[in-house]
Amino acid sequence: MDRINKYNVPALERAHLIIGLIAEAPSGCKLIDLSRELGINKSSMYSLLLTMERLGWLQKDARDCYRLGSFFGRTGSLYFRQYDLVSHFYREAGQVRDRMEETLQLGKLEGRDVFYLAKEEASSPVRLVSEPGTTWAAYATGLGKVMLADKSDREVSELFPEEQLSPFTNHSIGSRDELLVELAKIRLNGYAIDEEEAVQGFCCAAAPIRGANGGVIAAVSCSVPQSRWAQKKQLAIEEVTALAQVLSQGQ
């Protein structure tokens, strides 16, 4: 516990307490009330409130009462929209799975990793290890690469400051320069391919899901055993691209 507390940021903890109190007060809270309730001196409280107001976390009315700001409205809708996306995926992906007889997955980018949100699995004696709730290095997966391709080379380089990347298989991308070349190709094609880069014996095609502003918010993929890849590669590309477009329309 001491080790955890060592890395705490007191200002963020105070902001968290302030937001909690304001959220529970329908008519808002004044500086003096927040200061008294939380035991934070008025000077420090003023600085915290001014900063949170500038960030859009809070807004102050004509009575000098603070309420939650527009930031929480925007992020709140985005938070719940990801679950709407999961529901939408399950409504649509089952049909693609049945046509392809292969597994479909939905994921979003979290930093350098893919976070798997949902999965429609085909009947097969071989199961993918990437279950919903797990993560995988973005540079080694079709899902991850197609989402990284929405970023600039500078942003990708900031995510991967090291030149060498740890391989998962003999087919994995092994360097940042190689990744940047691959991402340029993905931007032109509009989809990504993973040919045994994450897991030996499996290939996949992935396509981006875009939000209302055109930015990539998630991605969908179709995984195919290597033994069937040559036969199904083009169909997998077409199916995930079409599915991604359908899912994008609901965002």
Side-chain angles (χ1 to χ4, degrees):
M1 184 62 69
D2 290 340
R3 180 175 176 274
I4 295 174
N5 291 337
K6 175 183 176 182
Y7 295 102
N8 284 354
V9 181
L12 287 177
E13 292 183 327
R14 290 179 175 184
H16 178 76
L17 293 172
I18 292 168
I19 290 166
L21 278 180
I22 292 174
E24 294 176 358
S27 59
C29 296
K30 292 191 174 184
L31 183 153
I32 188 65
D33 298 323
L34 292 166
S35 178
R36 187 185 303 116
E37 181 71 23
L38 296 176
I40 301 173
N41 67 65
K42 290 189 287 185
S43 176
S44 296
M45 179 62 71
Y46 175 78
S47 296
L48 285 165
L49 293 174
L50 188 66
T51 301
M52 288 192 282
E53 187 178 7
R54 178 175 58 79
L55 293 172
W57 294 10
L58 301 177
Q59 58 185 23
K60 185 169 64 172
D61 63 20
R63 299 179 300 113
D64 289 332
C65 287
Y66 290 89
R67 294 190 176 86
L68 296 185
S70 59
F71 172 83
F72 291 101
R74 293 195 304 273
T75 55
S77 64
L78 291 172
Y79 176 81
F80 287 107
R81 190 180 298 167
Q82 69 182 348
Y83 298 104
D84 291 340
L85 177 59
V86 170
S87 299
H88 195 184
F89 169 81
Y90 280 123
R91 287 196 302 272
E92 302 290 343
Q95 302 171 45
V96 181
R97 176 204 58 201
D98 293 342
R99 287 195 298 271
M100 290 288 302
E101 297 183 325
E102 304 295 352
T103 296
L104 281 294
Q105 295 186 97
L106 174 72
K108 66 175 183 176
L109 192 65
E110 291 198 344
R112 296 159 53 107
D113 299 320
V114 174
F115 180 77
Y116 289 88
L117 294 169
K119 184 180 188 179
E120 276 286 7
E121 191 147 29
S123 298
S124 172
V126 182
R127 296 175 62 88
L128 292 169
V129 296
S130 48
E131 297 293 334
T134 62
T135 60
W136 202 277
Y139 64 84
T141 68
L143 281 172
K145 290 188 297 181
V146 85
M147 290 185 283
L148 288 173
D150 192 51
K151 298 182 176 297
S152 68
D153 284 357
R154 180 183 59 80
E155 290 172 319
V156 173
S157 296
E158 288 174 356
L159 282 176
F160 300 96
E162 66 280 10
E163 173 58 26
Q164 297 303 308
L165 301 175
S166 300
F168 291 88
T169 74
N170 292 333
H171 304 280
S172 299
I173 288 176
S175 71
R176 186 183 59 201
D177 285 347
E178 187 182 349
L179 174 62
L180 293 175
V181 170
E182 177 73 3
L183 297 182
K185 186 189 306 181
I186 291 168
R187 293 182 192 111
L188 288 174
N189 293 337
Y191 61 84
I193 295 297
D194 159 11
E195 295 182 317
E196 299 185 275
E197 294 174 40
V199 179
Q200 197 76 35
F202 276 94
C203 303
C204 86
I209 299 169
R210 299 185 180 276
N213 66 354
V216 174
I217 60 171
V220 63
S221 70
C222 177
S223 297
V224 181
Q226 195 277 334
S227 59
R228 299 194 290 268
W229 181 239
Q231 171 193 351
K232 291 189 173 183
K233 178 179 178 178
Q234 188 56 41
L235 181 60
I237 292 169
E238 293 170 2
E239 288 283 3
V240 293
T241 301
L243 177 59
Q245 290 174 349
V246 170
L247 295 176
S248 297
Q249 291 169 5
Q251 301 312 303

PDB file of all heavy atoms in Angstrom, residues 7-33:
ATOM      1  N   TYR A   7       3.107   6.936  -5.351  1.00  0.00           N
ATOM      2  CA  TYR A   7       2.921   7.457  -6.701  1.00  0.00           C
ATOM      3  C   TYR A   7       1.592   8.191  -6.877  1.00  0.00           C
ATOM      4  O   TYR A   7       1.239   8.581  -7.985  1.00  0.00           O
ATOM      5  CB  TYR A   7       3.030   6.318  -7.717  1.00  0.00           C
ATOM      6  CG  TYR A   7       4.424   5.713  -7.758  1.00  0.00           C
ATOM      7  CD1 TYR A   7       4.694   4.502  -7.133  1.00  0.00           C
ATOM      8  CD2 TYR A   7       5.469   6.370  -8.403  1.00  0.00           C
ATOM      9  CE1 TYR A   7       5.974   3.957  -7.156  1.00  0.00           C
ATOM     10  CE2 TYR A   7       6.747   5.839  -8.424  1.00  0.00           C
ATOM     11  CZ  TYR A   7       6.991   4.627  -7.803  1.00  0.00           C
ATOM     12  OH  TYR A   7       8.247   4.100  -7.826  1.00  0.00           O
ATOM     13  N   ASN A   8       0.843   8.374  -5.817  1.00  0.00           N
ATOM     14  CA  ASN A   8      -0.404   9.122  -5.919  1.00  0.00           C
ATOM     15  C   ASN A   8      -0.125  10.603  -6.213  1.00  0.00           C
ATOM     16  O   ASN A   8       0.912  11.144  -5.809  1.00  0.00           O
ATOM     17  CB  ASN A   8      -1.198   9.020  -4.615  1.00  0.00           C
ATOM     18  CG  ASN A   8      -1.877   7.673  -4.453  1.00  0.00           C
ATOM     19  OD1 ASN A   8      -1.835   6.854  -5.368  1.00  0.00           O
ATOM     20  ND2 ASN A   8      -2.462   7.436  -3.313  1.00  0.00           N
ATOM     21  N   VAL A   9      -1.069  11.233  -6.889  1.00  0.00           N
ATOM     22  CA  VAL A   9      -0.967  12.664  -7.176  1.00  0.00           C
ATOM     23  C   VAL A   9      -2.031  13.378  -6.353  1.00  0.00           C
ATOM     24  O   VAL A   9      -3.223  13.300  -6.670  1.00  0.00           O
ATOM     25  CB  VAL A   9      -1.168  12.941  -8.683  1.00  0.00           C
ATOM     26  CG1 VAL A   9      -1.041  14.430  -8.975  1.00  0.00           C
ATOM     27  CG2 VAL A   9      -0.166  12.148  -9.513  1.00  0.00           C
ATOM     28  N   PRO A  10      -1.650  14.072  -5.283  1.00  0.00           N
ATOM     29  CA  PRO A  10      -2.633  14.689  -4.383  1.00  0.00           C
ATOM     30  C   PRO A  10      -3.626  15.604  -5.077  1.00  0.00           C
ATOM     31  O   PRO A  10      -4.820  15.624  -4.735  1.00  0.00           O
ATOM     32  CB  PRO A  10      -1.754  15.446  -3.381  1.00  0.00           C
ATOM     33  CG  PRO A  10      -0.462  14.687  -3.376  1.00  0.00           C
ATOM     34  CD  PRO A  10      -0.276  14.238  -4.793  1.00  0.00           C
ATOM     35  N   ALA A  11      -3.159  16.393  -6.049  1.00  0.00           N
ATOM     36  CA  ALA A  11      -4.066  17.324  -6.733  1.00  0.00           C
ATOM     37  C   ALA A  11      -5.177  16.579  -7.462  1.00  0.00           C
ATOM     38  O   ALA A  11      -6.336  17.020  -7.474  1.00  0.00           O
ATOM     39  CB  ALA A  11      -3.289  18.198  -7.710  1.00  0.00           C
ATOM     40  N   LEU A  12      -4.825  15.425  -8.076  1.00  0.00           N
ATOM     41  CA  LEU A  12      -5.853  14.636  -8.758  1.00  0.00           C
ATOM     42  C   LEU A  12      -6.822  14.015  -7.761  1.00  0.00           C
ATOM     43  O   LEU A  12      -8.031  13.926  -8.026  1.00  0.00           O
ATOM     44  CB  LEU A  12      -5.195  13.545  -9.601  1.00  0.00           C
ATOM     45  CG  LEU A  12      -4.489  14.005 -10.878  1.00  0.00           C
ATOM     46  CD1 LEU A  12      -3.828  12.820 -11.583  1.00  0.00           C
ATOM     47  CD2 LEU A  12      -5.480  14.672 -11.822  1.00  0.00           C
ATOM     48  N   GLU A  13      -6.305  13.578  -6.621  1.00  0.00           N
ATOM     49  CA  GLU A  13      -7.196  13.018  -5.600  1.00  0.00           C
ATOM     50  C   GLU A  13      -8.167  14.078  -5.089  1.00  0.00           C
ATOM     51  O   GLU A  13      -9.352  13.799  -4.877  1.00  0.00           O
ATOM     52  CB  GLU A  13      -6.367  12.455  -4.454  1.00  0.00           C
ATOM     53  CG  GLU A  13      -5.554  11.214  -4.842  1.00  0.00           C
ATOM     54  CD  GLU A  13      -4.806  10.635  -3.665  1.00  0.00           C
ATOM     55  OE1 GLU A  13      -4.389  11.416  -2.785  1.00  0.00           O
ATOM     56  OE2 GLU A  13      -4.626   9.396  -3.635  1.00  0.00           O
ATOM     57  N   ARG A  14      -7.669  15.294  -4.904  1.00  0.00           N
ATOM     58  CA  ARG A  14      -8.544  16.390  -4.471  1.00  0.00           C
ATOM     59  C   ARG A  14      -9.588  16.700  -5.546  1.00  0.00           C
ATOM     60  O   ARG A  14     -10.768  16.923  -5.224  1.00  0.00           O
ATOM     61  CB  ARG A  14      -7.709  17.637  -4.174  1.00  0.00           C
ATOM     62  CG  ARG A  14      -6.846  17.516  -2.936  1.00  0.00           C
ATOM     63  CD  ARG A  14      -6.026  18.781  -2.725  1.00  0.00           C
ATOM     64  NE  ARG A  14      -5.278  18.732  -1.482  1.00  0.00           N
ATOM     65  CZ  ARG A  14      -4.543  19.735  -1.004  1.00  0.00           C
ATOM     66  NH1 ARG A  14      -4.460  20.877  -1.687  1.00  0.00           N
ATOM     67  NH2 ARG A  14      -3.890  19.620   0.125  1.00  0.00           N
ATOM     68  N   ALA A  15      -9.150  16.752  -6.797  1.00  0.00           N
ATOM     69  CA  ALA A  15     -10.093  17.011  -7.888  1.00  0.00           C
ATOM     70  C   ALA A  15     -11.173  15.928  -7.926  1.00  0.00           C
ATOM     71  O   ALA A  15     -12.355  16.225  -8.160  1.00  0.00           O
ATOM     72  CB  ALA A  15      -9.346  17.069  -9.221  1.00  0.00           C
ATOM     73  N   HIS A  16     -10.761  14.681  -7.692  1.00  0.00           N
ATOM     74  CA  HIS A  16     -11.714  13.571  -7.686  1.00  0.00           C
ATOM     75  C   HIS A  16     -12.771  13.771  -6.591  1.00  0.00           C
ATOM     76  O   HIS A  16     -13.977  13.559  -6.820  1.00  0.00           O
ATOM     77  CB  HIS A  16     -10.952  12.266  -7.455  1.00  0.00           C
ATOM     78  CG  HIS A  16     -11.817  11.056  -7.379  1.00  0.00           C
ATOM     79  ND1 HIS A  16     -12.387  10.469  -8.495  1.00  0.00           N
ATOM     80  CD2 HIS A  16     -12.244  10.315  -6.313  1.00  0.00           C
ATOM     81  CE1 HIS A  16     -13.108   9.424  -8.125  1.00  0.00           C
ATOM     82  NE2 HIS A  16     -13.034   9.314  -6.813  1.00  0.00           N
ATOM     83  N   LEU A  17     -12.337  14.189  -5.401  1.00  0.00           N
ATOM     84  CA  LEU A  17     -13.273  14.427  -4.298  1.00  0.00           C
ATOM     85  C   LEU A  17     -14.213  15.590  -4.608  1.00  0.00           C
ATOM     86  O   LEU A  17     -15.421  15.542  -4.309  1.00  0.00           O
ATOM     87  CB  LEU A  17     -12.496  14.714  -3.010  1.00  0.00           C
ATOM     88  CG  LEU A  17     -11.678  13.538  -2.444  1.00  0.00           C
ATOM     89  CD1 LEU A  17     -10.811  14.004  -1.284  1.00  0.00           C
ATOM     90  CD2 LEU A  17     -12.602  12.408  -1.987  1.00  0.00           C
ATOM     91  N   ILE A  18     -13.665  16.639  -5.196  1.00  0.00           N
ATOM     92  CA  ILE A  18     -14.486  17.804  -5.557  1.00  0.00           C
ATOM     93  C   ILE A  18     -15.559  17.411  -6.563  1.00  0.00           C
ATOM     94  O   ILE A  18     -16.738  17.764  -6.415  1.00  0.00           O
ATOM     95  CB  ILE A  18     -13.585  18.924  -6.140  1.00  0.00           C
ATOM     96  CG1 ILE A  18     -12.672  19.491  -5.055  1.00  0.00           C
ATOM     97  CG2 ILE A  18     -14.431  20.030  -6.768  1.00  0.00           C
ATOM     98  CD1 ILE A  18     -11.551  20.382  -5.574  1.00  0.00           C
ATOM     99  N   ILE A  19     -15.167  16.690  -7.596  1.00  0.00           N
ATOM    100  CA  ILE A  19     -16.119  16.270  -8.621  1.00  0.00           C
ATOM    101  C   ILE A  19     -17.207  15.391  -8.015  1.00  0.00           C
ATOM    102  O   ILE A  19     -18.391  15.518  -8.343  1.00  0.00           O
ATOM    103  CB  ILE A  19     -15.377  15.533  -9.757  1.00  0.00           C
ATOM    104  CG1 ILE A  19     -14.528  16.526 -10.555  1.00  0.00           C
ATOM    105  CG2 ILE A  19     -16.358  14.816 -10.694  1.00  0.00           C
ATOM    106  CD1 ILE A  19     -13.517  15.883 -11.473  1.00  0.00           C
ATOM    107  N   GLY A  20     -16.820  14.506  -7.095  1.00  0.00           N
ATOM    108  CA  GLY A  20     -17.801  13.640  -6.441  1.00  0.00           C
ATOM    109  C   GLY A  20     -18.838  14.431  -5.671  1.00  0.00           C
ATOM    110  O   GLY A  20     -20.035  14.136  -5.738  1.00  0.00           O
ATOM    111  N   LEU A  21     -18.397  15.447  -4.941  1.00  0.00           N
ATOM    112  CA  LEU A  21     -19.340  16.265  -4.170  1.00  0.00           C
ATOM    113  C   LEU A  21     -20.267  17.056  -5.081  1.00  0.00           C
ATOM    114  O   LEU A  21     -21.487  17.130  -4.854  1.00  0.00           O
ATOM    115  CB  LEU A  21     -18.573  17.235  -3.262  1.00  0.00           C
ATOM    116  CG  LEU A  21     -18.060  16.697  -1.927  1.00  0.00           C
ATOM    117  CD1 LEU A  21     -17.343  17.797  -1.172  1.00  0.00           C
ATOM    118  CD2 LEU A  21     -19.227  16.167  -1.083  1.00  0.00           C
ATOM    119  N   ILE A  22     -19.696  17.673  -6.114  1.00  0.00           N
ATOM    120  CA  ILE A  22     -20.497  18.482  -7.029  1.00  0.00           C
ATOM    121  C   ILE A  22     -21.510  17.614  -7.771  1.00  0.00           C
ATOM    122  O   ILE A  22     -22.651  18.029  -8.006  1.00  0.00           O
ATOM    123  CB  ILE A  22     -19.577  19.239  -8.008  1.00  0.00           C
ATOM    124  CG1 ILE A  22     -18.775  20.296  -7.249  1.00  0.00           C
ATOM    125  CG2 ILE A  22     -20.373  19.869  -9.146  1.00  0.00           C
ATOM    126  CD1 ILE A  22     -17.741  21.014  -8.083  1.00  0.00           C
ATOM    127  N   ALA A  23     -21.105  16.405  -8.146  1.00  0.00           N
ATOM    128  CA  ALA A  23     -22.006  15.504  -8.872  1.00  0.00           C
ATOM    129  C   ALA A  23     -23.233  15.142  -8.045  1.00  0.00           C
ATOM    130  O   ALA A  23     -24.307  14.871  -8.597  1.00  0.00           O
ATOM    131  CB  ALA A  23     -21.262  14.232  -9.273  1.00  0.00           C
ATOM    132  N   GLU A  24     -23.096  15.153  -6.718  1.00  0.00           N
ATOM    133  CA  GLU A  24     -24.210  14.780  -5.834  1.00  0.00           C
ATOM    134  C   GLU A  24     -25.057  15.975  -5.416  1.00  0.00           C
ATOM    135  O   GLU A  24     -26.022  15.819  -4.668  1.00  0.00           O
ATOM    136  CB  GLU A  24     -23.666  14.076  -4.589  1.00  0.00           C
ATOM    137  CG  GLU A  24     -23.005  12.735  -4.900  1.00  0.00           C
ATOM    138  CD  GLU A  24     -22.384  12.099  -3.674  1.00  0.00           C
ATOM    139  OE1 GLU A  24     -22.450  12.733  -2.592  1.00  0.00           O
ATOM    140  OE2 GLU A  24     -21.837  10.986  -3.789  1.00  0.00           O
ATOM    141  N   ALA A  25     -24.697  17.171  -5.888  1.00  0.00           N
ATOM    142  CA  ALA A  25     -25.425  18.387  -5.504  1.00  0.00           C
ATOM    143  C   ALA A  25     -26.137  18.964  -6.719  1.00  0.00           C
ATOM    144  O   ALA A  25     -25.508  19.644  -7.538  1.00  0.00           O
ATOM    145  CB  ALA A  25     -24.462  19.411  -4.916  1.00  0.00           C
ATOM    146  N   PRO A  26     -27.442  18.720  -6.863  1.00  0.00           N
ATOM    147  CA  PRO A  26     -28.178  19.182  -8.045  1.00  0.00           C
ATOM    148  C   PRO A  26     -28.097  20.695  -8.266  1.00  0.00           C
ATOM    149  O   PRO A  26     -28.077  21.160  -9.403  1.00  0.00           O
ATOM    150  CB  PRO A  26     -29.626  18.757  -7.747  1.00  0.00           C
ATOM    151  CG  PRO A  26     -29.492  17.656  -6.746  1.00  0.00           C
ATOM    152  CD  PRO A  26     -28.285  17.981  -5.929  1.00  0.00           C
ATOM    153  N   SER A  27     -28.037  21.461  -7.167  1.00  0.00           N
ATOM    154  CA  SER A  27     -28.007  22.916  -7.303  1.00  0.00           C
ATOM    155  C   SER A  27     -26.590  23.472  -7.356  1.00  0.00           C
ATOM    156  O   SER A  27     -26.401  24.680  -7.427  1.00  0.00           O
ATOM    157  CB  SER A  27     -28.764  23.564  -6.131  1.00  0.00           C
ATOM    158  OG  SER A  27     -28.170  23.186  -4.903  1.00  0.00           O
ATOM    159  N   GLY A  28     -25.597  22.611  -7.339  1.00  0.00           N
ATOM    160  CA  GLY A  28     -24.219  23.050  -7.413  1.00  0.00           C
ATOM    161  C   GLY A  28     -23.625  23.325  -6.037  1.00  0.00           C
ATOM    162  O   GLY A  28     -24.314  23.264  -5.013  1.00  0.00           O
ATOM    163  N   CYS A  29     -22.330  23.615  -6.012  1.00  0.00           N
ATOM    164  CA  CYS A  29     -21.624  23.884  -4.761  1.00  0.00           C
ATOM    165  C   CYS A  29     -20.795  25.152  -4.893  1.00  0.00           C
ATOM    166  O   CYS A  29     -20.181  25.395  -5.937  1.00  0.00           O
ATOM    167  CB  CYS A  29     -20.688  22.727  -4.416  1.00  0.00           C
ATOM    168  SG  CYS A  29     -21.494  21.151  -4.090  1.00  0.00           S
ATOM    169  N   LYS A  30     -20.746  25.934  -3.811  1.00  0.00           N
ATOM    170  CA  LYS A  30     -19.903  27.119  -3.790  1.00  0.00           C
ATOM    171  C   LYS A  30     -18.520  26.772  -3.259  1.00  0.00           C
ATOM    172  O   LYS A  30     -18.333  25.763  -2.578  1.00  0.00           O
ATOM    173  CB  LYS A  30     -20.541  28.203  -2.927  1.00  0.00           C
ATOM    174  CG  LYS A  30     -21.826  28.775  -3.525  1.00  0.00           C
ATOM    175  CD  LYS A  30     -22.275  30.016  -2.780  1.00  0.00           C
ATOM    176  CE  LYS A  30     -23.471  30.662  -3.489  1.00  0.00           C
ATOM    177  NZ  LYS A  30     -23.881  31.930  -2.830  1.00  0.00           N
ATOM    178  N   LEU A  31     -17.571  27.643  -3.587  1.00  0.00           N
ATOM    179  CA  LEU A  31     -16.186  27.425  -3.178  1.00  0.00           C
ATOM    180  C   LEU A  31     -16.085  27.240  -1.669  1.00  0.00           C
ATOM    181  O   LEU A  31     -15.410  26.318  -1.188  1.00  0.00           O
ATOM    182  CB  LEU A  31     -15.324  28.600  -3.639  1.00  0.00           C
ATOM    183  CG  LEU A  31     -13.821  28.517  -3.367  1.00  0.00           C
ATOM    184  CD1 LEU A  31     -13.049  29.345  -4.391  1.00  0.00           C
ATOM    185  CD2 LEU A  31     -13.435  28.993  -1.966  1.00  0.00           C
ATOM    186  N   ILE A  32     -16.741  28.093  -0.920  1.00  0.00           N
ATOM    187  CA  ILE A  32     -16.625  28.033   0.537  1.00  0.00           C
ATOM    188  C   ILE A  32     -17.164  26.714   1.089  1.00  0.00           C
ATOM    189  O   ILE A  32     -16.616  26.136   2.028  1.00  0.00           O
ATOM    190  CB  ILE A  32     -17.353  29.241   1.194  1.00  0.00           C
ATOM    191  CG1 ILE A  32     -17.073  29.281   2.690  1.00  0.00           C
ATOM    192  CG2 ILE A  32     -18.840  29.203   0.884  1.00  0.00           C
ATOM    193  CD1 ILE A  32     -15.629  29.539   3.050  1.00  0.00           C
ATOM    194  N   ASP A  33     -18.235  26.213   0.467  1.00  0.00           N
ATOM    195  CA  ASP A  33     -18.810  24.946   0.936  1.00  0.00           C
ATOM    196  C   ASP A  33     -17.870  23.782   0.634  1.00  0.00           C
ATOM    197  O   ASP A  33     -17.697  22.877   1.459  1.00  0.00           O
ATOM    198  CB  ASP A  33     -20.162  24.706   0.260  1.00  0.00           C
ATOM    199  CG  ASP A  33     -21.164  25.796   0.602  1.00  0.00           C
ATOM    200  OD1 ASP A  33     -21.147  26.270   1.759  1.00  0.00           O
ATOM    201  OD2 ASP A  33     -21.944  26.179  -0.289  1.00  0.00           O
TER     202      ASP A  33
END
